Amino acid sequence: METYETMRIFADSWGLLYMTLAFLAVVVMTLWPGSSRAHRDSADIPFRNEDRPIADRTPEEGDAS
């Protein structure tokens, strides 16, 4: 039972600090001024190689439905 108590105390203190620092790192990386190009590129992934809407495609062109 002593191991459980030790791990619980460790998680309560250092685990909280680790999760807080990880959250802050993600927020900083997201809002960093130079990262807008990477975010824009990631947001456009679903629209790459699209020439026309899916409704205009024929089944031979890879329409999954």
Side-chain angles (χ1 to χ4, degrees), residues 3-26:
T3 304
Y4 171 77
E5 293 292 326
T6 304
M7 292 301 287
R8 188 180 65 83
I9 291 170
F10 178 78
D12 284 346
S13 58
W14 292 105
L16 177 63
L17 178 64
Y18 172 76
M19 293 301 287
T20 302
L21 291 175
F23 174 76
L24 291 175
V26 169

Side-chain angles (χ1 to χ4, degrees), residues 9-64:
I9 291 170
F10 178 78
D12 284 346
S13 58
W14 292 105
L16 177 63
L17 178 64
Y18 172 76
M19 293 301 287
T20 302
L21 291 175
F23 174 76
L24 291 175
V26 169
V27 169
V28 167
M29 284 178 19
T30 302
L31 299 177
W32 199 261
S35 67
S36 63
R37 182 177 178 194
H39 295 306
R40 192 176 314 112
D41 185 46
S42 296
D44 289 338
I45 287 174
F47 305 111
R48 287 184 186 158
N49 303 321
E50 293 286 329
D51 294 335
R52 58 185 181 215
I54 292 176
D56 293 342
R57 293 187 193 170
T58 61
E60 295 82 33
E61 292 181 283
D63 189 14

